[in-house]
Amino acid sequence: MRDLVAALLQGDKRAAGKLISLIEDDEPEAVDALQRIYPHTGRAHVVGFTGPPGVGKSSLINRLVRTFRARGKTIGVVAVDPTSPYTGGAVLGDRIRMADTGIDPGVFIRSMATRGHAGGLALATFDAVRVLDAMGSQVVFVETVGAGQSEVEIATRAHTVVVVEMPLTGDVVQTMKAGILEIGDVYVVNKVDLGNADVLVANLKFQLAAREGWTPPIVRTAALEGQGIEELADVLERHAIFLERSGFRHGREVARARQEILETAQRLLVRGVSEGSPTGPLFDRLANAVADRETDPHAAARKLLESHPKKKRPR
Amino acid sequence: MVPIPRKIRVLIAKPGLDGHDRGAKVVARALRDAGMEVIYTGLRQMPEDIVEAAIQEDVDAIGLSSLSGAHMTLFPEVVRLLKKRGSGEIVVVGGGIIPADDIPKLKRAGIKAVFGPGTPLGEIVSFFKKAGKGA
Ligand SMILES: Nc1nc2c(ncn2[C@@H]2O[C@H](COP(=O)(O)OP(=O)(O)OP(=O)(O)O)[C@@H](O)[C@H]2O)c(=O)[nH]1
Ligand SMILES: [Mg+2]
């Protein structure tokens, strides 16, 4: 096989596409490839978008891609849609809204299915972001599945989190999902062309407080008409500069690394004790011992952690 | 550990200017229900856009749908551009309203299969499954 990583570092999109698939399919080559890619990452500004289904995340990203291209930036997008829990299949439709970018050599868009990963993202999402970062994308947008707990995960992984809301029509009290007011660095009220935005904006303004020297701006947009997009792009650039100058970018990187190390260790452990692995038999023995009251679950867990499988696969 | 089979990824696109994509959507859903990941790119795509998307999405196969009669230029153009980009291994199939006479010509141009209206969905699904395995 051609050296995909070398090609990626030359900016080869085909290599990027193939590498992301290897990562998604959890192929053995992926670990090695990611190890080689890692030193070339850390340059891109990673911007996560979250918000309820249909609020306009893809449409906004589409507009922003064009705006940032006009400002001379190369762009990557990873857009996540849910996998059907029943069939394992997915229809990935975010690309429909991003058709404008077409064959622009400075844009790379990848659709991704969650493949059973909870949290509004796929397990492979941020490794895919790294692939695009290493390829040279200067800004990478991540679109989460706008439901469930997507906020939590995107908040620890992106540099800038954009929460997208839209005004509801009629006589309703618009309440925010729990946690949504804590995680946004930028709030977008989209679909202002439909009216009724003032209440939502006022409501947000009232509830949002400055955190660590940054007051989350609220930007009104109409993605289809392109209204408010320049302002949103300005705000994103300002936040990137703020993160850099304040040292928070590094802080976020460390927080992210912490979480990633823990998650990976957890996954390795789960794999290590699963059937067919060297630790499998020990796991079985311990399970029987716990059932027979020869030991307790806590002590058994410690034993399991202490046991080092002879031949470890770094997966 | 049970090995998880590699996911089959398919791009469904509708080149040309004709306006509706019901057939394409029905196929997209059938492929999803068979466990595949279907990237749907919507209407009015140019061959260049389709090929670019297929490379970025790293799909195993592309399903092209046409109702307008432009298939004789658009479908072979997709195959040609894929080869030019070094991605000739991506299987291209066509569907929609395509006169019987055109089918052999399309096949000679590298379109691996042509599914007319009324083709059982099961047949289309198993073709894509095979195309995905072969990649
Ligand atoms: N009127 C109006 N419609 C909009 C606006 N932005 C997006 N839409 C429409 O809202 C619908 C959903 O837009 P998307 O961009 O797909 O929304 P999304 O948040 O990416 O949706 P999911 O990915 O399904 O969660 C589409 O029909 C858009 O055309 C806007 O500013 N105004
Ligand atoms: Mg979307």
Side-chain angles (χ1 to χ4, degrees):
Chain A
M1 192 173 63
R2 218 162 43 101
D3 186 348
L4 290 175
V5 175
L8 174 79
L9 297 177
Q10 300 294 315
D12 183 344
K13 290 184 168 180
R14 195 169 163 275
K18 296 258 175 236
L19 281 164
I20 293 173
S21 296
L22 289 177
I23 295 164
E24 281 197 284
D25 291 330
D26 210 0
E27 300 285 353
E29 306 96 290
V31 175
D32 176 55
L34 281 166
Q35 267 169 4
R36 288 174 60 206
I37 286 168
Y38 194 73
H40 302 277
T41 62
R43 290 171 296 183
H45 178 207
V46 182
V47 183
F49 284 75
T50 186
V55 75
K57 299 178 290 295
S58 300
S59 306
L60 283 166
I61 290 171
N62 181 48
R63 288 286 181 172
L64 284 170
V65 168
R66 280 200 279 168
T67 304
F68 277 105
R69 285 298 292 140
R71 296 182 183 191
K73 294 271 170 50
T74 53
I75 309 291
V77 179
V78 182
V80 186
D81 272 323
T83 293
S84 155
Y86 305 106
T87 66
V91 174
L92 310 175
D94 293 317
R95 219 182 166 101
I96 301 175
R97 312 266 172 240
M98 302 181 194
D100 287 10
T101 49
I103 53 168
D104 182 337
V107 180
F108 188 106
I109 300 170
R110 178 67 174 225
S111 315
M112 191 172 267
T114 53
R115 298 198 183 175
H117 185 68
L121 295 165
L123 192 56
T125 301
F126 284 90
D127 284 333
V129 169
R130 285 190 180 131
V131 169
L132 301 186
D133 185 351
M135 187 175 67
S137 299
Q138 292 164 308
V139 182
V140 180
F141 297 118
V142 177
E143 178 179 341
T144 72
V145 175
Q149 293 298 303
S150 56
E151 301 76 26
V152 185
E153 193 167 349
I154 193 75
T156 57
R157 295 299 179 94
H159 298 123
T160 304
V161 176
V162 180
V163 174
V164 188
E165 296 284 345
M166 66 187 205
L168 297 180
T169 47
D171 193 20
V172 286
V173 182
Q174 192 158 8
T175 50
M176 303 292 131
K177 258 200 295 186
I180 211 80
L181 292 162
E182 283 87 62
I183 60 136
D185 300 299
V186 176
Y187 288 79
V188 171
V189 174
N190 188 38
K191 306 200 186 185
V192 295
D193 52 305
L194 299 180
N196 262 355
D198 291 344
V199 180
L200 176 56
V201 171
N203 197 347
L204 279 171
K205 212 173 253 163
F206 177 68
Q207 295 184 74
L208 290 172
R211 281 196 310 271
E212 302 172 313
W214 173 266
T215 307
I218 303 163
V219 185
R220 295 166 184 249
T221 60
L224 296 187
E225 297 163 12
Q227 188 191 324
I229 305 299
E230 289 289 334
E231 188 191 341
L232 178 54
D234 291 345
V235 163
L236 295 180
E237 287 187 334
R238 240 194 308 128
H239 191 247
I241 293 166
F242 165 78
L243 287 177
E244 201 65 63
R245 294 217 179 124
S246 60
F248 287 147
R249 178 166 165 137
H250 186 255
R252 286 194 182 199
E253 293 278 350
V254 173
R256 169 159 105 169
R258 220 187 270 281
Q259 174 157 351
E260 205 172 345
I261 295 167
L262 276 179
E263 282 172 8
T264 309
Q266 227 164 25
R267 226 167 32 247
L268 289 175
L269 187 67
V270 169
R271 282 187 205 201
V273 300
S274 66
E275 260 178 275
S277 78
T279 333
L282 171 63
F283 189 35
D284 286 344
R285 267 207 313 283
L286 288 169
N288 278 297
V290 170
D292 297 342
R293 301 300 185 277
E294 286 160 18
T295 184
D296 63 282
H298 191 93
R302 281 184 164 284
K303 270 227 175 69
L304 201 57
L305 276 175
E306 285 157 10
S307 76
H308 290 286
K310 285 262 150 28
K311 195 172 168 298
K312 268 186 295 183
R313 260 209 319 164
R315 301 274 348 242
Chain B
M1 197 164 54
V2 189
I4 303 154
R6 202 179 60 81
K7 278 278 174 205
I8 299 173
R9 288 168 66 87
V10 176
L11 185 89
I12 298 287
K14 187 129 187 3
L17 297 176
D18 54 298
H20 85 78
D21 56 354
R22 244 165 289 149
K25 279 185 176 155
V26 169
V27 171
R29 274 195 291 269
L31 297 178
R32 175 199 63 191
D33 292 345
M36 297 177 215
E37 290 179 359
V38 184
I39 295 100
Y40 185 64
T41 61
L43 298 167
R44 288 188 254 291
Q45 294 279 290
M46 298 303 290
E48 289 79 3
D49 300 326
I50 293 168
V51 167
E52 191 58 47
I55 287 168
Q56 293 176 12
E57 300 288 357
D58 187 35
V59 294
D60 303 290
I62 303 176
L64 298 171
S65 151
S66 168
L67 307 169
S68 62
H71 54 272
M72 286 309 285
T73 51
L74 295 175
F75 290 9
E77 181 64 2
V78 169
V79 175
R80 193 185 69 79
L81 289 171
L82 279 173
K83 285 196 181 131
K84 196 175 136 196
R85 294 286 303 271
S87 292
E89 79 281 0
I90 298 176
V91 171
V92 180
V93 308
I97 298 170
I98 291 163
D101 284 356
D102 288 348
I103 294 176
K105 289 180 213 156
L106 287 173
K107 289 206 167 156
R108 272 199 299 282
I111 314 298
K112 286 288 183 317
V114 178
F115 301 111
T119 308
L121 278 175
E123 190 181 312
I124 298 176
V125 167
S126 44
F127 183 89
F128 276 103
K129 267 197 181 146
K130 260 195 270 135
K133 292 276 151 52

